[in-house]
Amino acid sequence: MTADTRALAELLEESEDLQADALRPTHEALGELVDAGRSQPDDSAANRAFHEAHTQALRGSLAGTAVLGAAGGAVLVGALASAASASSSTEVQILQTAASIENLAVATYKTALTLPYIGGASANPVVTKFAQVTMGQHTQHADAFNGAAKSLGGKAQNQPDPVFVPVVNKAVASLGAATAAQGALGVVGLAIELENIAAETYVKDTTLATHTTNKALFASIMGIEAQHVAVLLAVQALLVAGAPQLISLAPGTAAALPAAAGSVGFPSAFYKTNEAAPAGQGAIT
């Protein structure tokens, strides 16, 4: 399969510009967040309430989530009880959990790129480049979250989210006997779940944050995750339709796309937060 390298380069440049625009206010917000966090006393009661609200939201969503449900929703609900419970401030816990989600995304894309139908010579070049660029963006997000956590006196979270690791491991293991078509669809589906978890977590954190600096931090990163979801939903739709050849930037491809191609990436007017991760889920002491 061939691709228009010029168009691909322009698309990636636009993606990187969006990433840079998002991280610029993020870094400014992170600096302000450090000052705000140092001036605020730790509110243990509010911290527990924040955690319980997130836990209830995730508990109610597991049964109806395709990838998570297939991996065993009851097991994941039980795993919430053993997730890290840090004594640090809510700000630090949120940042560490966000970093753990980003670490998981990086590891997942890295693994996906070792699969022949994602990163091999026979893989779709657009999908391969998307995975490579997206993995790099998640790395930058994790670095930003960890930088803020350390500035607030917390530790950097360099491990993946402990609750969702078993889910990813099981999903990846199931791809061993899959055909190239099945495997590509499985990887894309898993990536959508992880990107949705990130986006929904940051939407939730944006609404629950008490400081405007917190809101700016999560809102800026959330926009990038939402973009990832939109692209992956479009790719998934073409794979399901048996038209992988349309995942291309070659001239004339747009004219061959179905009408739904313009809306499939945006199934909801507003992001839900059913899969948002609890504040302390990826926190460390």
Side-chain angles (χ1 to χ4, degrees), residues 29-79:
L30 286 172
E32 296 174 4
L33 177 61
V34 171
D35 294 336
R38 287 172 174 163
S39 64
Q40 294 292 325
D42 184 31
D43 189 340
S44 298
N47 191 11
R48 287 194 299 272
F50 188 99
H51 177 83
E52 291 171 2
H54 270 311
T55 300
Q56 291 174 1
L58 186 61
R59 188 188 307 273
S61 72
L62 288 177
T65 304
V67 172
L68 302 186
V75 175
L76 290 181
V77 170

Side-chain angles (χ1 to χ4, degrees), residues 91-153:
E91 286 86 355
V92 170
Q93 289 194 40
I94 294 173
L95 289 164
Q96 290 173 333
T97 296
S100 75
I101 292 173
E102 299 295 335
N103 292 337
L104 181 60
V106 171
T108 301
Y109 279 109
K110 185 176 181 179
T111 298
L113 285 166
T114 66
L115 301 173
Y117 43 81
I118 299 295
S122 61
N124 183 295
V126 176
V127 173
T128 299
K129 183 57 68 174
F130 172 82
Q132 293 170 338
V133 171
T134 301
M135 181 174 67
Q137 291 177 346
H138 282 299
T139 299
Q140 293 175 36
H141 298 168
D143 289 343
F145 288 132
N146 274 329
K150 291 169 65 177
S151 296
L152 286 171

Side-chain angles (χ1 to χ4, degrees), residues 17-239:
D17 286 345
L18 181 59
Q19 169 81 350
D21 290 342
L23 286 181
R24 188 176 300 111
T26 293
H27 288 310
E28 295 173 357
L30 286 172
E32 296 174 4
L33 177 61
V34 171
D35 294 336
R38 287 172 174 163
S39 64
Q40 294 292 325
D42 184 31
D43 189 340
S44 298
N47 191 11
R48 287 194 299 272
F50 188 99
H51 177 83
E52 291 171 2
H54 270 311
T55 300
Q56 291 174 1
L58 186 61
R59 188 188 307 273
S61 72
L62 288 177
T65 304
V67 172
L68 302 186
V75 175
L76 290 181
V77 170
L80 292 175
S82 61
S85 178
S87 59
S88 55
S89 68
T90 298
E91 286 86 355
V92 170
Q93 289 194 40
I94 294 173
L95 289 164
Q96 290 173 333
T97 296
S100 75
I101 292 173
E102 299 295 335
N103 292 337
L104 181 60
V106 171
T108 301
Y109 279 109
K110 185 176 181 179
T111 298
L113 285 166
T114 66
L115 301 173
Y117 43 81
I118 299 295
S122 61
N124 183 295
V126 176
V127 173
T128 299
K129 183 57 68 174
F130 172 82
Q132 293 170 338
V133 171
T134 301
M135 181 174 67
Q137 291 177 346
H138 282 299
T139 299
Q140 293 175 36
H141 298 168
D143 289 343
F145 288 132
N146 274 329
K150 291 169 65 177
S151 296
L152 286 171
K155 297 179 181 178
Q157 172 56 285
N158 297 314
Q159 299 300 315
D161 185 288
V163 172
F164 296 119
V165 166
V167 180
V168 173
N169 289 343
K170 185 168 184 176
V172 172
S174 69
L175 298 175
T179 64
Q182 293 171 336
L185 192 56
V187 169
V188 169
L190 177 60
I192 289 173
E193 285 293 336
L194 295 181
E195 297 287 1
N196 257 325
I197 288 170
E200 292 191 17
T201 297
Y202 306 156
V203 169
K204 188 76 170 183
D205 292 343
T206 299
T207 61
L208 293 181
T210 57
H211 300 291
T212 57
T213 50
N214 297 57
K215 296 179 185 296
L217 166 63
F218 290 107
S220 59
I221 298 296
M222 178 271 295
I224 301 299
E225 315 300 14
Q227 181 201 46
H228 295 165
V229 173
V231 172
L232 288 165
L233 285 173
V235 170
Q236 182 186 57
L238 291 173
L239 291 176

